[in-house]
Amino acid sequence: MEKKPATYADLEALPETVIGELIDGVLHASPRPALRHSLVSSRLNGELSGPYDKGRGGPGGWFILFEPELHLSGGNVLVPDLAGWRRERMPGIPSGVGCTVVPDWVCEVLSPSTSRLDRFAKQPIYGREGVKHLWLIDPKVRTLEVWRLEGAGYQKVAQHEGLAKVRAEPFEAVELELGFLWDEG
């Protein structure tokens, strides 16, 4: 007997204690992030929002959102840790829960429970949808991987680690202190 693909109603039926995503017809429920994961996401959001979203000390011109629900083609509903849109592509925040405008940048903070999903299920969907820049951050090993969409797939353009101070595309205008993300800087 063939299994029916999961629907948005299945996603809505999940308890609020999990993050639900629909990936190629399969419902995935992940636990809420651990505190170290949340620290990295929150600090990165703070570092980028000022210069890129508000234009304080940086070029502005972006919307940076925390855990947006992305409604993509094929019924895929993904929730990255952070996503950013250039304002010329999305001049305002859409009303409602989900966003159908593909982001220009997505960041996934990896955890033991989501790392495989982020790398092997979500990354190809981001590529198919045309997300130009993807960051994968691993707080456990303290790395930032920077990926750029080239043709049909992503190419890793940089990997930074430890306490490095970096300028990572598409946010090269501002230096990021990785140690601050890990609470060591």
Side-chain angles (χ1 to χ4, degrees):
M1 187 162 192
E2 191 174 323
K3 187 177 177 184
K4 266 180 45 179
T7 66
Y8 194 76
D10 297 319
L11 193 145
E12 290 178 311
L14 291 172
E16 291 183 17
T17 57
V18 299
I19 296 174
E21 299 178 290
L22 294 173
I23 301 175
D24 294 329
V26 178
L27 177 64
H28 294 268
S30 302
R32 296 293 310 161
L35 294 179
R36 180 69 49 189
H37 180 121
S38 293
L39 175 73
V40 170
S41 297
S42 297
R43 287 197 168 172
L44 180 59
N45 188 41
E47 291 294 291
L48 296 177
S49 288
Y52 290 94
D53 201 336
K54 294 181 180 179
R56 291 185 188 152
W62 286 79
F63 284 112
I64 308 288
L65 298 180
F66 183 76
E67 292 185 352
E69 188 174 283
L70 306 177
H71 291 236
L72 305 172
S73 67
N76 290 301
V77 178
L78 306 184
V79 181
D81 291 289
L82 294 166
W85 292 260
R86 294 181 189 274
R87 289 183 187 230
E88 63 260 15
R89 289 191 53 252
M90 188 172 82
I93 298 294
S95 62
V97 174
C99 181
T100 59
V101 178
V102 174
D104 295 289
W105 167 81
V106 164
C107 177
E108 294 286 2
V109 179
L110 306 176
S111 65
S113 64
T114 65
S115 180
R116 290 191 58 76
L117 188 70
D118 291 338
R119 284 186 184 280
F120 301 112
K122 294 170 72 174
Q123 185 171 346
I125 293 171
Y126 292 140
R128 279 195 319 254
E129 294 294 320
V131 176
K132 303 258 188 279
H133 303 277
L134 171 68
W135 287 9
L136 298 175
I137 296 179
D138 190 331
K140 186 173 182 180
V141 295
R142 293 175 169 80
T143 58
L144 162 62
E145 297 174 26
V146 180
W147 298 80
R148 179 189 319 127
L149 186 62
E150 293 185 6
Y154 283 104
Q155 298 296 315
K156 187 189 287 189
V157 294
Q159 180 163 322
H160 307 286
E161 58 188 48
L163 304 177
K165 295 179 180 180
V166 303
R167 294 182 182 272
E169 63 178 62
F171 303 115
E172 306 94 344
V174 174
E175 185 175 77
L176 294 175
E177 296 181 33
L178 295 184
F180 177 67
L181 300 183
W182 328 132
D183 199 29
E184 294 181 16

